[in-house]
Amino acid sequence: MFIQTESTPNPATLKFLPGQTVLETGTADFPSVEAASASPLAGRIFAVDGVTAVFFGTDFVTVTKGEAVEWDHIKPAVLGAVMEHYQSGDAVMTGEASAPAGHASHDGPDSAIVGQIKELLDTRVRPAVAQDGGDITFHGFDRGIVYLHMQGACAGCPSSTLTLKMGIENLLRHYIPEVLEVRPVAA
């Protein structure tokens, strides 16, 4: 098994490409070791000292490290954990936890606007963000402000504010006049 790695715009996060499907659909975010109980793969990766977050896409795993460790020191152990998992034959996710992560639901008078926002996120934003090892999902819409949840390499990325303001906000405002601003939300 050959696992490729790619850098991301976030220097604390690396993207690992195992050459196999990670998740059939959706994404899975593990911002802490406690959240990883639903995934044998995430559990193995968190066992590597210095790992602070794990995120799964359809064909990639992004891993975020703490400031006190260098990639040169933990990358071989992360590669080993991913390889060990795929050789074990264990499932990536267990039980009910295999439901894909996605947009928050939204009912009410703005549901048509929210539908347009989700459509643009799914067709224009999320595929591009996945290339960088992350995901951005809809969290809410209130009085012209769109709240988005950033995951994977996007969470804590130095360029995430620029991506939100100059990229996503401009795109949404162009197509949907009711959108005034885009803000990130904490997990």
Side-chain angles (χ1 to χ4, degrees):
M1 176 177 204
F2 179 72
I3 302 168
Q4 294 180 343
T5 58
E6 293 179 0
S7 59
T8 71
N10 184 346
T13 304
L14 272 181
K15 183 176 176 181
F16 293 81
L17 299 143
Q20 298 183 29
T21 300
V22 178
L23 290 179
E24 291 292 331
T25 58
T27 61
D29 190 25
F30 306 98
S32 66
V33 69
E34 294 79 24
S37 63
S39 170
L41 175 55
R44 279 187 169 97
I45 296 169
F46 269 111
V48 175
D49 204 26
V51 170
T52 60
V54 177
F55 179 80
F56 299 156
T58 54
D59 64 348
F60 66 88
V61 174
T62 55
V63 178
T64 304
K65 68 169 187 66
E67 287 184 34
V69 294
E70 296 296 323
W71 277 117
D72 291 345
H73 298 127
I74 69 167
K75 183 178 168 184
V78 172
L79 286 166
V82 174
M83 190 174 297
E84 179 184 294
H85 173 80
Y86 279 98
Q87 290 174 343
S88 76
D90 290 345
V92 171
M93 303 291 286
T94 58
E96 299 292 318
S98 59
H103 301 301
S105 61
H106 184 92
D107 298 329
D110 297 326
S111 58
I113 295 168
V114 169
Q116 291 176 311
I117 292 168
K118 289 179 180 181
E119 174 75 17
L120 283 169
L121 289 174
D122 287 342
T123 59
R124 300 276 184 102
V125 177
R126 293 177 83 188
V129 172
Q131 292 295 314
D132 288 336
D135 196 12
I136 295 178
T137 57
F138 174 82
H139 186 78
F141 179 73
D142 184 36
R143 289 181 247 159
I145 301 171
V146 177
Y147 296 93
L148 300 177
H149 180 61
M150 304 178 86
Q151 301 172 311
C154 297
C157 177
S159 61
S160 65
T161 302
L162 187 64
T163 299
L164 272 181
K165 291 295 179 187
M166 301 307 292
I168 300 167
E169 183 176 292
N170 286 345
L171 174 83
L172 292 177
R173 288 175 67 185
H174 175 77
Y175 287 103
I176 308 167
E178 293 86 353
V179 172
L180 304 176
E181 185 181 354
V182 172
R183 293 183 188 167
V185 294

